[in-house]
Amino acid sequence: GREGAPSPDEVGLLLTLVGRCGPDAVVPDGRARRALCADAVPRWILARPPGAGVRGDFELLGRLLGSLVEDDRGDAWSSALRALAAGRCGRASLSVGLSAVAEVSGRDSVRCDVLDDLAIETARSAVESYRRSRDVLAGDEDDAGASPEDGGGEDAFPFLSACAGVDPPGPP
């Protein structure tokens, strides 16, 4: 895969193994599973072109998270979200990912302070982008608006909907 990330087919194989044998059998060490969730899988997601194969990565993340004790699960999920945000993961990929993790480990498993902060930041950015667009259309400003990557573009609504649990998006 790109930059050390397994290919989507390899992730599919891991998902099959985890589904048939259980996460504990595939990765017996709980600390190693936590490290996969908090560090490795987010790096795989960030290494992919936007939207390419991320659903499988997030499904694997959700299955591995579900195998962790509750405290480790919350810490690993928060760490994964921080890594994805720091790596500028697109909101469209995060929308798909939130839905995938929620499907395999439950909607409550995705709720955390880090996600709340991302949602608030995205909403603020979307409002600011709207205001700038309105000002540009009115001729009050130049055309220097927010880009979709910073949460202010067209990906804001699907991301915020996924955060709220409304109409989770399908695969990109």
Side-chain angles (χ1 to χ4, degrees):
R2 252 178 80 195
E3 298 179 34
S7 72
D9 289 340
E10 292 167 329
V11 171
L13 177 60
L14 281 171
L15 275 168
T16 299
L17 288 171
V18 166
R20 291 184 187 229
C21 304
D24 297 346
V26 177
V27 184
D29 181 1
R31 286 179 302 204
R33 283 196 312 276
R34 187 188 184 293
L36 275 169
C37 294
D39 183 50
V41 176
R43 278 190 286 115
W44 302 347
I45 293 165
L46 292 169
R48 298 197 192 290
V54 298
R55 184 168 184 81
D57 293 331
F58 277 106
E59 285 178 21
L60 180 62
L61 178 61
R63 292 192 189 282
L64 293 172
L65 285 167
S67 73
L68 299 174
V69 296
E70 192 169 338
D71 286 344
D72 283 349
R73 184 179 317 135
D75 289 345
W77 174 238
S78 292
S79 294
L81 284 174
R82 277 197 279 303
L84 291 168
R88 312 244 331 130
C89 184
R91 296 306 189 249
S93 293
L94 281 174
S95 301
V96 169
L98 288 173
S99 297
V101 171
E103 284 173 18
V104 297
S105 61
R107 178 118 336 252
D108 288 340
S109 67
V110 300
R111 301 200 188 285
C112 67
D113 289 342
V114 175
L115 182 61
D116 290 346
D117 291 345
L118 278 172
I120 290 167
E121 173 189 320
T122 299
R124 283 184 182 146
S125 184
V127 168
E128 184 58 32
S129 178
Y130 166 77
R131 287 181 179 149
R132 279 194 294 253
S133 296
R134 185 188 61 204
D135 291 345
V136 167
L137 289 173
D140 295 339
E141 262 186 44
D142 63 7
D143 195 13
S147 68
E149 293 79 28
D150 68 10
E154 60 196 38
D155 295 336
F157 181 73
F159 173 70
L160 293 170
S161 295
C163 289
V166 179
D167 296 329

